[in-house]
Amino acid sequence: MEPQQRSPLLEVKGNLELKRPLVKAPSRLPLPGSRFKRGLDQMEDVLEPEKKRTRGLGTATKFASSHPRAPAITTVPQTQGQTTAPKVPKKTGPRCSTAVVTVLKNQKPGPAVPAQKPGTAAAPPKLGGKKPSKRPAWDLKGQLCDLNAELKCCRERTQTLDQENQQLRVQLREAQQQATALGAERRTLEGELARVRAQAEQGQQELGNLSARVLELEERLGTQEGLVQELQKEQLGLQEERRELATRLEEQERRLQTSEAALSGSQAEVASLRQEAAAQAALLAERGERLHGLEMERRRLHNQLQELKGNIRVFCRVRPVLPGEPTPPPGFLLFPSGPGGPSDPPTHLSLLRSDERRGTLSGVPAPPTRHDFSFDRVFPPGSGQDEVFEEIAMLVQSALDGYPVCIFAYGQTGSGKTFTMEGGPGGDPQVEGLIPRAVRHLFSVAQELSGQGWTYSFVASYVEIYNETVRDLLATGTRKGQGGECEIRRAGPGSEELTVTNARYVPVSCEKEVEALLHLARQNRAVARTAQNERSSRSHSVFQLQISGEHAGRGLQCGAPLNLVDLAGSERLDPGLALGPGERERLRETQAINSSLSTLGLVIMALSNKESHVPYRNSKLTYLLQNSLGGSAKMLMFVNISPLEENVSESLNSLRFASKVNQCVIGTAQANRK
């Protein structure tokens, strides 16, 4: 059975009727403006005159087809054997005559849709709560009226939604303004919170300072109370001593009476002794002249001996392996014997270096490279502090004779520089460094020369040069931490002597006073933990002992400084090291140290080459030691190296630098005498 062909007019009517529930169920969502307006324009075209009705019907059909939810109009099925023909509506007037006939002629037959049972056809939706009567298919005017009513409702709904949208936009702007105001208020409160926190931190810091001050005052109070008790005990002891002295005074008075009686008998003997003393004085004066001549000859020969050894000398010292460190492989460090055999002190050093990166063509590792060095003296790991000082004692003696002396300790961190200069902890005499031994030697020789009419005075100072800033290591009390105020200046107009402003210059007369100064300097010196040493010196320390001698009887004066310098570690920079805040500080320290050490090498080379310009002022270290590096000075450098194979690279750099210094020669030294 063929499907019945659907009428286009019925399809338009069915679609328009099924669109009516959209008006009854309002939605709060905004409709797309362009599509909604286009649908309204299409529905308004239906209301145009008869000459446009054909286009209005096409538009209505298009509007209905844009909503797929509307079901299609069904037709009544025909009996078997009959053909299905399109159903043509009756003519009701001139309004639909031409348009309907044209549509029917152009409509192609389509598939039939099963018809609904009688009584089950879909009823049109209610509008406004009333059930409208079913309009016939030919009542296009009524259908247009219904569409106009529906269009009116949609327009009212659109206006309502536009008003709600406008209100929501106003509320949105108000919410944005409130958010802006709240953001500004939040930033204000955050700034206030930061200020309050800063004040709280400052208050905590002040509270901590006051607490520390209170503890300090309590400690001082306890000390003062103990001192008062000691003074009371001392007062009781003095009273007892006064009574004993009174008893002794009475006894002495009795003895004085006895002595007065014996005095008269001794006066005659004194007269004869005076005559004998006059003869002895004449002989003593003659021998004094001879002794003075011998002393001057000794100084001349002593200086000549030092000049023959060299005004610039370099000693190499290898520290022993410490507990917990790996033992170096055999043959890593060799100390060849001197020309006289094993009895001669060693003056040569050989170091073997194996490089795993180098290899032969067969893949076998390359043999180790041997590096030979020669110095004025080499001290193996077993050499003691007394053996080292014995070698430089005659050089220290030159300072008393009026020649500036400068002794350096050079090497990488952890190679034993500070141990060589200051010694080990604990006050063991066997491990005392060069500074305490040199001071003891000077005091001893000065005491011997006092018998020949010489009087000596000693003034000590101890400074460090940290990041090209001079600091006073002997500062005490409120002067601690004011090293930045120290500057290197001339002692006076036209004077060649250099002095450090705001630094302490302490007169010393015994060994104990120097030990106290060294202990104070160790506490104030700048140290830090490095990869080579747990407590590494990060500055150059310069101990200066200004010596002034005078022979009042002959009107002779001499003066010279003795400089004992503990240089900072000379290790190179690692360019691949990741830097944090602490590592950046170590980097700046290492750069300043290497710069000053390079300047020291340039100054020595310039002096050796007798250049017209010597770059003393390129570094605070060389500028401070300017008068102790020139032609009238005697210089000795200790190059300290580590015996560990892991430090072979830094050891080679130190040995090469020391070899360059050892090749330099400075002219004849002259004593500073008046």
Side-chain angles (χ1 to χ4, degrees):
M1 182 175 70
E2 296 181 358
Q4 185 178 0
Q5 184 179 2
R6 294 178 60 188
S7 174
L9 187 59
L10 292 177
E11 183 178 355
V12 171
K13 179 182 176 182
N15 291 338
L16 292 176
E17 289 177 352
L18 292 175
K19 287 295 291 182
R20 292 178 183 176
L22 297 175
V23 179
K24 186 177 181 180
S27 174
R28 298 185 63 85
L29 298 175
L31 297 176
S34 61
R35 181 180 177 184
F36 185 75
K37 291 180 180 181
R38 184 168 62 250
L40 295 179
D41 294 339
Q42 292 173 357
M43 288 187 292
E44 288 178 359
D45 290 341
V46 183
L47 301 178
E48 292 183 355
E50 182 180 358
K51 60 182 178 179
K52 297 182 180 179
R53 284 177 184 172
T54 304
R55 184 180 62 182
L57 289 174
T59 308
T61 304
K62 182 179 180 180
F63 177 78
S65 62
S66 64
H67 296 76
R69 292 179 297 177
I73 303 298
T74 60
T75 59
V76 179
Q78 302 294 327
T79 60
Q80 186 175 4
Q82 297 180 355
T83 60
T84 304
K87 186 177 181 180
V88 180
K90 295 180 180 182
K91 295 182 180 180
T92 60
R95 293 182 179 178
C96 61
S97 59
T98 306
V100 172
V101 171
T102 305
V103 171
L104 292 175
K105 287 181 179 181
N106 297 331
Q107 181 69 31
K108 294 182 181 180
V113 180
Q116 297 179 352
K117 294 181 180 181
T120 62
K126 294 181 180 181
L127 182 63
K130 295 181 181 182
K131 182 177 182 182
S133 61
K134 183 176 181 181
R135 296 182 185 276
W138 50 263
D139 191 4
L140 296 178
K141 184 177 181 180
Q143 293 178 6
L144 292 176
C145 292
D146 295 340
L147 290 175
N148 288 334
E150 183 178 355
L151 176 62
K152 183 178 180 181
C153 292
C154 290
R155 288 179 175 175
E156 292 176 355
R157 181 60 180 168
T158 303
Q159 293 177 359
T160 303
L161 293 176
D162 289 341
Q163 292 176 0
E164 292 180 357
N165 190 14
Q166 188 67 24
Q167 292 177 0
L168 290 175
R169 290 180 179 176
V170 173
Q171 293 177 2
L172 177 60
R173 286 194 298 270
E174 293 178 355
Q176 290 176 349
Q177 293 175 358
Q178 291 179 0
T180 303
L182 290 176
E185 184 178 358
R186 180 180 62 83
R187 288 189 295 271
T188 304
L189 291 177
E190 287 178 352
E192 184 68 18
L193 178 60
R195 184 180 62 82
V196 171
R197 286 179 177 175
Q199 292 178 355
E201 292 177 357
Q202 183 178 4
Q204 290 292 339
Q205 185 176 4
E206 292 178 356
L207 179 59
N209 295 336
L210 292 176
S211 300
R213 181 61 178 170
V214 168
L215 294 176
E216 181 182 358
L217 292 176
E218 289 178 352
E219 183 178 357
R220 291 179 59 186
L221 178 59
T223 304
Q224 295 294 336
E225 290 178 352
L227 182 60
V228 169
Q229 294 178 358
E230 292 178 359
L231 291 176
Q232 291 177 353
K233 294 179 180 179
E234 185 177 357
Q235 181 181 6
L236 295 176
L238 290 175
Q239 291 177 355
E240 181 67 24
E241 185 178 356
R242 183 179 62 83
R243 288 192 293 268
E244 294 178 357
L245 289 175
T247 304
R248 291 176 58 186
L249 178 61
E250 295 177 355
E251 181 181 357
Q252 292 296 331
E253 288 179 351
R254 291 193 297 269
R255 294 178 59 185
L256 178 59
Q257 294 176 359
T258 306
S259 298
E260 289 178 351
L263 178 60
S264 58
S266 300
Q267 288 178 350
E269 185 179 358
V270 169
S272 61
L273 290 176
R274 285 178 178 176
Q275 295 177 358
E276 184 178 355
Q280 293 292 336
L283 181 60
L284 183 61
E286 180 183 355
R287 292 184 177 180
E289 288 290 338
R290 183 180 178 185
L291 183 60
H292 176 72
L294 294 175
E295 174 64 19
M296 294 296 102
E297 182 67 14
R298 183 200 64 78
R299 294 191 179 192
R300 185 184 66 81
L301 294 176
H302 176 78
N303 180 62
Q304 185 177 0
L305 176 61
Q306 297 301 314
E307 289 178 355
L308 292 175
K309 291 183 178 180
N311 285 333
I312 297 182
R313 284 184 283 171
V314 178
F315 291 170
C316 176
R317 186 178 189 186
V318 183
R319 73 166 176 83
V321 179
L322 301 179
E325 293 181 342
T327 304
F332 175 65
L333 284 174
L334 299 177
F335 303 93
S337 302
S343 60
D344 283 357
T347 58
H348 293 79
L349 171 69
S350 296
L351 187 145
L352 294 181
R353 180 181 185 180
S354 58
D355 193 349
E356 298 178 354
R357 295 173 296 181
R358 298 171 58 241
T360 60
L361 296 177
S362 61
V364 180
T369 305
R370 177 172 177 175
H371 301 272
D372 296 326
F373 299 94
S374 176
F375 301 103
D376 294 287
R377 177 69 189 272
V378 175
F379 294 97
S383 301
Q385 296 281 67
D386 53 349
E387 183 180 355
V388 174
F389 179 74
E390 183 180 357
E391 190 67 28
I392 70 165
M394 302 301 292
L395 183 64
V396 174
Q397 173 73 36
S398 297
L400 279 178
D401 297 341
Y403 297 94
V405 176
C406 190
I407 301 177
F408 294 99
Y410 174 84
Q412 73 173 109
T413 298
S415 59
K417 302 184 302 298
T418 304
F419 178 81
T420 299
M421 300 304 294
E422 298 182 7
D428 187 1
Q430 298 297 327
V431 295
E432 284 184 338
L434 298 184
I435 295 179
R437 291 177 183 271
V439 171
R440 183 187 305 115
H441 179 74
L442 291 175
F443 286 154
S444 175
V445 176
Q447 182 67 27
E448 295 176 359
L449 293 177
S450 63
Q452 302 179 15
W454 286 94
T455 57
Y456 286 92
S457 62
F458 303 90
V459 178
S461 66
Y462 211 159
V463 298
E464 70 171 350
I465 301 175
Y466 175 76
N467 283 347
E468 288 301 303
T469 301
V470 182
R471 296 180 177 180
D472 184 15
L473 294 180
L474 302 183
T476 57
T478 58
R479 297 182 65 252
K480 283 187 177 181
Q482 298 179 357
E485 300 178 2
C486 297
E487 295 293 339
I488 303 174
R489 294 286 186 268
R490 296 286 181 183
S495 175
E496 295 296 329
E497 182 180 355
L498 296 175
T499 183
V500 179
T501 61
N502 297 328
R504 287 183 63 197
Y505 285 86
V506 183
V508 291
S509 58
C510 64
E511 184 181 346
K512 296 294 184 182
E513 295 177 354
V514 177
E515 291 179 357
L517 296 180
L518 294 179
H519 179 72
L520 177 61
R522 288 192 202 99
Q523 297 176 347
N524 295 337
R525 188 172 182 185
V527 295
R529 184 182 185 275
T530 64
Q532 303 291 336
N533 197 352
E534 183 70 23
R535 184 176 174 84
S536 172
S537 301
R538 308 304 299 162
S539 63
H540 308 302
S541 67
V542 181
F543 176 81
Q544 283 189 329
L545 188 66
Q546 186 65 39
I547 305 172
S548 299
E550 182 181 7
H551 195 296
R554 300 186 180 275
L556 298 178
Q557 293 180 353
C558 66
L562 172 64
N563 300 278
L564 299 170
V565 185
D566 181 9
L567 298 175
S570 60
E571 54 269 8
R572 295 173 298 176
L573 297 176
D574 186 1
L577 182 63
L579 299 179
E583 285 76 8
R584 293 191 184 96
E585 182 66 22
R586 302 287 85 79
L587 174 63
R588 288 192 293 269
E589 293 173 354
T590 305
Q591 290 174 342
I593 292 170
N594 291 340
S595 176
S596 61
L597 293 178
S598 298
T599 303
L600 177 61
L602 293 176
V603 167
I604 295 175
M605 293 298 295
L607 292 173
S608 175
N609 297 333
K610 295 180 171 46
E611 297 179 3
S612 59
H613 172 69
V614 181
Y616 289 117
R617 291 179 177 267
N618 289 1
S619 170
K620 293 292 183 66
L621 175 65
T622 54
Y623 184 40
L624 178 62
L625 301 176
Q626 177 178 350
N627 295 333
S628 299
L629 299 177
S632 62
K634 300 181 184 298
M635 184 168 53
L636 172 66
M637 175 177 289
F638 277 95
V639 54
N640 297 80
I641 64 173
S642 170
L644 304 182
E645 189 177 12
E646 61 185 16
N647 298 328
V648 62
S649 179
E650 295 295 341
S651 298
L652 281 175
N653 291 332
S654 300
L655 292 172
R656 288 165 180 163
F657 178 81
S659 296
K660 292 181 180 180
V661 175
N662 194 33
Q663 295 172 1
C664 298
V665 177
I666 300 180
T668 303
Q670 296 181 358
N672 296 327
R673 297 175 183 169
K674 298 180 182 179

